[in-house]
Amino acid sequence: MARPTTGIFYHPSFSRRSYLTVGARLADFPGALDRILESDKVTLYEPEPVPRELLLKVHTSDLLERVGEDPLCSTAWHSAGGVVAAGEKIASGEITNAFAFIGAGGHHAGRERFGGFCCFNDVALCIVNLRDQFGLRRFAILDTDAHHADGTREIFQGDPDVLHICLCGTNFESKDGTKVDVACPGPFEGGENERAMNDAYFDLVARHAPHRISRFKPDLLFWYFGFDTHEGDYGDIGLTGPCYWKIAELMKELAEKTCGGKLEVVLGGGSDRRLATYLIPPIIERLAGLQRA
Ligand SMILES: [Zn+2]
Ligand SMILES: [Zn+2]
């Protein structure tokens, strides 16, 4: 068996002119990864644009045209390309898990509409491609972005082989148990201090995701990670670093138990440059099993 390694998917355009770089959130990358990249457990990949033929398996040609005309979506092709390539390299065994940076988001993009910082549905494209090219069939997605993943939900509505657990504003579970929404505590419900909020949120994840994912037995696991839930960001519910890092550890463990470690972390919302630089490298270190200095 190959030595477990972590792939990082990053394109320079994500730091220059991406949808979510209204605040240039990835301006410190890839430099912020320099120390991590010294490890032989980590490989940096620069993605190609996602092919049009694949896009047309998820989206209408009309959406493609409109995304093409929207200057805010200029990084959409490389963003989705990185998420798709990460899935391919995990499925082929070249890497065990991955962190995919993006310039334009994915989870609000449906078959024929896009918006909310999202252009193409990156995770949906990755799933369709893995089914077509690698024969993987069942996928579980944990979405901890602050907002409801309406696009992803729409695309996989009625697909019993996609377990979609979304932490957002409501509680919901489909009859077959594969589409789940978990209502998050508001910024003040969980307590006055950050520790209480982190604990309350992590507790929700721990209560709602692991048993469903273990029972579902996915071929590959996605964590759609937004940090817009961080204190001071645009979806602020009062979370701070340790909460995200604990979720990263939980997801890695869960992937190891259920699908041979096949985990893809896909970057979602969040706008603050200092937060991106502070939060993301420790997540990648956990994926790669690197000791924190
Ligand atoms: Zn969001
Ligand atoms: Zn939701």
PDB file of all heavy atoms in Angstrom, residues 248-268:
ATOM      1  N   ALA A 248     -11.946  18.685  11.799  1.00  0.00           N
ATOM      2  CA  ALA A 248     -11.005  18.078  10.849  1.00  0.00           C
ATOM      3  C   ALA A 248     -10.522  16.721  11.372  1.00  0.00           C
ATOM      4  O   ALA A 248     -10.458  15.736  10.626  1.00  0.00           O
ATOM      5  CB  ALA A 248      -9.816  19.015  10.611  1.00  0.00           C
ATOM      6  N   GLU A 249     -10.195  16.670  12.651  1.00  0.00           N
ATOM      7  CA  GLU A 249      -9.739  15.394  13.240  1.00  0.00           C
ATOM      8  C   GLU A 249     -10.844  14.352  13.202  1.00  0.00           C
ATOM      9  O   GLU A 249     -10.614  13.190  12.868  1.00  0.00           O
ATOM     10  CB  GLU A 249      -9.284  15.630  14.698  1.00  0.00           C
ATOM     11  CG  GLU A 249      -7.952  16.339  14.784  1.00  0.00           C
ATOM     12  CD  GLU A 249      -7.689  16.949  16.166  1.00  0.00           C
ATOM     13  OE1 GLU A 249      -8.383  16.579  17.137  1.00  0.00           O
ATOM     14  OE2 GLU A 249      -6.792  17.809  16.259  1.00  0.00           O
ATOM     15  N   LEU A 250     -12.047  14.785  13.533  1.00  0.00           N
ATOM     16  CA  LEU A 250     -13.187  13.870  13.528  1.00  0.00           C
ATOM     17  C   LEU A 250     -13.437  13.308  12.122  1.00  0.00           C
ATOM     18  O   LEU A 250     -13.647  12.102  11.945  1.00  0.00           O
ATOM     19  CB  LEU A 250     -14.444  14.612  14.016  1.00  0.00           C
ATOM     20  CG  LEU A 250     -15.742  13.820  13.990  1.00  0.00           C
ATOM     21  CD1 LEU A 250     -15.828  12.908  15.202  1.00  0.00           C
ATOM     22  CD2 LEU A 250     -16.956  14.740  13.960  1.00  0.00           C
ATOM     23  N   MET A 251     -13.383  14.182  11.123  1.00  0.00           N
ATOM     24  CA  MET A 251     -13.659  13.738   9.756  1.00  0.00           C
ATOM     25  C   MET A 251     -12.575  12.796   9.243  1.00  0.00           C
ATOM     26  O   MET A 251     -12.849  11.841   8.518  1.00  0.00           O
ATOM     27  CB  MET A 251     -13.804  14.946   8.821  1.00  0.00           C
ATOM     28  CG  MET A 251     -15.015  15.804   9.111  1.00  0.00           C
ATOM     29  SD  MET A 251     -16.570  14.867   9.067  1.00  0.00           S
ATOM     30  CE  MET A 251     -16.836  14.773   7.305  1.00  0.00           C
ATOM     31  N   LYS A 252     -11.334  13.098   9.608  1.00  0.00           N
ATOM     32  CA  LYS A 252     -10.246  12.220   9.175  1.00  0.00           C
ATOM     33  C   LYS A 252     -10.424  10.827   9.776  1.00  0.00           C
ATOM     34  O   LYS A 252     -10.318   9.815   9.075  1.00  0.00           O
ATOM     35  CB  LYS A 252      -8.905  12.815   9.593  1.00  0.00           C
ATOM     36  CG  LYS A 252      -7.742  12.030   9.011  1.00  0.00           C
ATOM     37  CD  LYS A 252      -6.404  12.538   9.463  1.00  0.00           C
ATOM     38  CE  LYS A 252      -5.315  11.690   8.784  1.00  0.00           C
ATOM     39  NZ  LYS A 252      -4.187  11.430   9.679  1.00  0.00           N
ATOM     40  N   GLU A 253     -10.719  10.785  11.059  1.00  0.00           N
ATOM     41  CA  GLU A 253     -10.938   9.510  11.744  1.00  0.00           C
ATOM     42  C   GLU A 253     -12.113   8.750  11.134  1.00  0.00           C
ATOM     43  O   GLU A 253     -12.049   7.544  10.906  1.00  0.00           O
ATOM     44  CB  GLU A 253     -11.278   9.791  13.206  1.00  0.00           C
ATOM     45  CG  GLU A 253     -10.283   9.264  14.212  1.00  0.00           C
ATOM     46  CD  GLU A 253     -10.662   9.731  15.596  1.00  0.00           C
ATOM     47  OE1 GLU A 253     -11.704   9.278  16.106  1.00  0.00           O
ATOM     48  OE2 GLU A 253      -9.929  10.586  16.143  1.00  0.00           O
ATOM     49  N   LEU A 254     -13.165   9.505  10.869  1.00  0.00           N
ATOM     50  CA  LEU A 254     -14.376   8.903  10.314  1.00  0.00           C
ATOM     51  C   LEU A 254     -14.108   8.312   8.927  1.00  0.00           C
ATOM     52  O   LEU A 254     -14.570   7.217   8.591  1.00  0.00           O
ATOM     53  CB  LEU A 254     -15.437   9.999  10.226  1.00  0.00           C
ATOM     54  CG  LEU A 254     -16.900   9.635  10.254  1.00  0.00           C
ATOM     55  CD1 LEU A 254     -17.224   8.687  11.380  1.00  0.00           C
ATOM     56  CD2 LEU A 254     -17.714  10.924  10.402  1.00  0.00           C
ATOM     57  N   ALA A 255     -13.327   9.044   8.126  1.00  0.00           N
ATOM     58  CA  ALA A 255     -12.982   8.539   6.793  1.00  0.00           C
ATOM     59  C   ALA A 255     -12.129   7.283   6.911  1.00  0.00           C
ATOM     60  O   ALA A 255     -12.286   6.324   6.146  1.00  0.00           O
ATOM     61  CB  ALA A 255     -12.246   9.615   5.992  1.00  0.00           C
ATOM     62  N   GLU A 256     -11.220   7.276   7.880  1.00  0.00           N
ATOM     63  CA  GLU A 256     -10.375   6.086   8.059  1.00  0.00           C
ATOM     64  C   GLU A 256     -11.208   4.882   8.450  1.00  0.00           C
ATOM     65  O   GLU A 256     -10.967   3.763   8.005  1.00  0.00           O
ATOM     66  CB  GLU A 256      -9.285   6.380   9.105  1.00  0.00           C
ATOM     67  CG  GLU A 256      -8.152   7.217   8.512  1.00  0.00           C
ATOM     68  CD  GLU A 256      -7.273   7.899   9.555  1.00  0.00           C
ATOM     69  OE1 GLU A 256      -7.543   7.752  10.761  1.00  0.00           O
ATOM     70  OE2 GLU A 256      -6.320   8.601   9.128  1.00  0.00           O
ATOM     71  N   LYS A 257     -12.237   5.116   9.279  1.00  0.00           N
ATOM     72  CA  LYS A 257     -13.086   4.011   9.724  1.00  0.00           C
ATOM     73  C   LYS A 257     -14.027   3.528   8.641  1.00  0.00           C
ATOM     74  O   LYS A 257     -14.361   2.345   8.578  1.00  0.00           O
ATOM     75  CB  LYS A 257     -13.935   4.469  10.917  1.00  0.00           C
ATOM     76  CG  LYS A 257     -13.217   4.329  12.249  1.00  0.00           C
ATOM     77  CD  LYS A 257     -14.226   4.524  13.390  1.00  0.00           C
ATOM     78  CE  LYS A 257     -13.561   5.272  14.530  1.00  0.00           C
ATOM     79  NZ  LYS A 257     -14.502   6.069  15.317  1.00  0.00           N
ATOM     80  N   THR A 258     -14.514   4.443   7.785  1.00  0.00           N
ATOM     81  CA  THR A 258     -15.597   4.060   6.872  1.00  0.00           C
ATOM     82  C   THR A 258     -15.149   3.839   5.428  1.00  0.00           C
ATOM     83  O   THR A 258     -15.780   3.067   4.716  1.00  0.00           O
ATOM     84  CB  THR A 258     -16.724   5.115   6.858  1.00  0.00           C
ATOM     85  OG1 THR A 258     -16.168   6.368   6.446  1.00  0.00           O
ATOM     86  CG2 THR A 258     -17.347   5.283   8.224  1.00  0.00           C
ATOM     87  N   CYS A 259     -14.104   4.518   4.959  1.00  0.00           N
ATOM     88  CA  CYS A 259     -13.797   4.407   3.526  1.00  0.00           C
ATOM     89  C   CYS A 259     -12.296   4.492   3.248  1.00  0.00           C
ATOM     90  O   CYS A 259     -11.881   5.143   2.277  1.00  0.00           O
ATOM     91  CB  CYS A 259     -14.578   5.441   2.718  1.00  0.00           C
ATOM     92  SG  CYS A 259     -14.412   7.129   3.285  1.00  0.00           S
ATOM     93  N   GLY A 260     -11.501   3.850   4.066  1.00  0.00           N
ATOM     94  CA  GLY A 260     -10.066   3.796   3.814  1.00  0.00           C
ATOM     95  C   GLY A 260      -9.377   5.151   3.837  1.00  0.00           C
ATOM     96  O   GLY A 260      -8.339   5.345   3.208  1.00  0.00           O
ATOM     97  N   GLY A 261      -9.967   6.099   4.551  1.00  0.00           N
ATOM     98  CA  GLY A 261      -9.326   7.409   4.695  1.00  0.00           C
ATOM     99  C   GLY A 261      -9.647   8.402   3.592  1.00  0.00           C
ATOM    100  O   GLY A 261      -9.146   9.528   3.603  1.00  0.00           O
ATOM    101  N   LYS A 262     -10.500   7.993   2.633  1.00  0.00           N
ATOM    102  CA  LYS A 262     -10.781   8.868   1.477  1.00  0.00           C
ATOM    103  C   LYS A 262     -11.631  10.066   1.894  1.00  0.00           C
ATOM    104  O   LYS A 262     -12.845   9.987   1.999  1.00  0.00           O
ATOM    105  CB  LYS A 262     -11.494   8.089   0.380  1.00  0.00           C
ATOM    106  CG  LYS A 262     -10.661   6.979  -0.232  1.00  0.00           C
ATOM    107  CD  LYS A 262     -11.366   6.485  -1.494  1.00  0.00           C
ATOM    108  CE  LYS A 262     -10.928   5.102  -1.870  1.00  0.00           C
ATOM    109  NZ  LYS A 262     -11.338   4.076  -0.861  1.00  0.00           N
ATOM    110  N   LEU A 263     -10.951  11.188   2.099  1.00  0.00           N
ATOM    111  CA  LEU A 263     -11.617  12.412   2.556  1.00  0.00           C
ATOM    112  C   LEU A 263     -11.177  13.578   1.702  1.00  0.00           C
ATOM    113  O   LEU A 263      -9.992  13.791   1.487  1.00  0.00           O
ATOM    114  CB  LEU A 263     -11.242  12.678   4.028  1.00  0.00           C
ATOM    115  CG  LEU A 263     -11.644  14.038   4.614  1.00  0.00           C
ATOM    116  CD1 LEU A 263     -13.161  14.190   4.682  1.00  0.00           C
ATOM    117  CD2 LEU A 263     -11.030  14.213   6.007  1.00  0.00           C
ATOM    118  N   GLU A 264     -12.151  14.327   1.195  1.00  0.00           N
ATOM    119  CA  GLU A 264     -11.824  15.565   0.483  1.00  0.00           C
ATOM    120  C   GLU A 264     -12.440  16.737   1.223  1.00  0.00           C
ATOM    121  O   GLU A 264     -13.654  16.808   1.412  1.00  0.00           O
ATOM    122  CB  GLU A 264     -12.325  15.527  -0.964  1.00  0.00           C
ATOM    123  CG  GLU A 264     -12.040  16.859  -1.656  1.00  0.00           C
ATOM    124  CD  GLU A 264     -12.228  16.842  -3.164  1.00  0.00           C
ATOM    125  OE1 GLU A 264     -12.454  15.761  -3.743  1.00  0.00           O
ATOM    126  OE2 GLU A 264     -12.157  17.931  -3.761  1.00  0.00           O
ATOM    127  N   VAL A 265     -11.579  17.667   1.637  1.00  0.00           N
ATOM    128  CA  VAL A 265     -12.052  18.893   2.274  1.00  0.00           C
ATOM    129  C   VAL A 265     -12.119  19.967   1.193  1.00  0.00           C
ATOM    130  O   VAL A 265     -11.136  20.214   0.486  1.00  0.00           O
ATOM    131  CB  VAL A 265     -11.111  19.342   3.409  1.00  0.00           C
ATOM    132  CG1 VAL A 265     -11.676  20.578   4.109  1.00  0.00           C
ATOM    133  CG2 VAL A 265     -10.899  18.207   4.409  1.00  0.00           C
ATOM    134  N   VAL A 266     -13.288  20.576   1.051  1.00  0.00           N
ATOM    135  CA  VAL A 266     -13.496  21.593   0.024  1.00  0.00           C
ATOM    136  C   VAL A 266     -13.775  22.914   0.720  1.00  0.00           C
ATOM    137  O   VAL A 266     -14.669  23.001   1.571  1.00  0.00           O
ATOM    138  CB  VAL A 266     -14.690  21.214  -0.886  1.00  0.00           C
ATOM    139  CG1 VAL A 266     -14.947  22.317  -1.907  1.00  0.00           C
ATOM    140  CG2 VAL A 266     -14.433  19.881  -1.573  1.00  0.00           C
ATOM    141  N   LEU A 267     -13.012  23.927   0.357  1.00  0.00           N
ATOM    142  CA  LEU A 267     -13.178  25.230   0.975  1.00  0.00           C
ATOM    143  C   LEU A 267     -14.487  25.868   0.527  1.00  0.00           C
ATOM    144  O   LEU A 267     -14.832  25.841  -0.656  1.00  0.00           O
ATOM    145  CB  LEU A 267     -11.983  26.122   0.598  1.00  0.00           C
ATOM    146  CG  LEU A 267     -11.919  27.512   1.230  1.00  0.00           C
ATOM    147  CD1 LEU A 267     -11.967  27.452   2.750  1.00  0.00           C
ATOM    148  CD2 LEU A 267     -10.651  28.223   0.778  1.00  0.00           C
ATOM    149  N   GLY A 268     -15.223  26.419   1.486  1.00  0.00           N
ATOM    150  CA  GLY A 268     -16.468  27.122   1.190  1.00  0.00           C
ATOM    151  C   GLY A 268     -16.346  28.595   1.528  1.00  0.00           C
ATOM    152  O   GLY A 268     -15.366  29.244   1.163  1.00  0.00           O
TER     153      GLY A 268
END
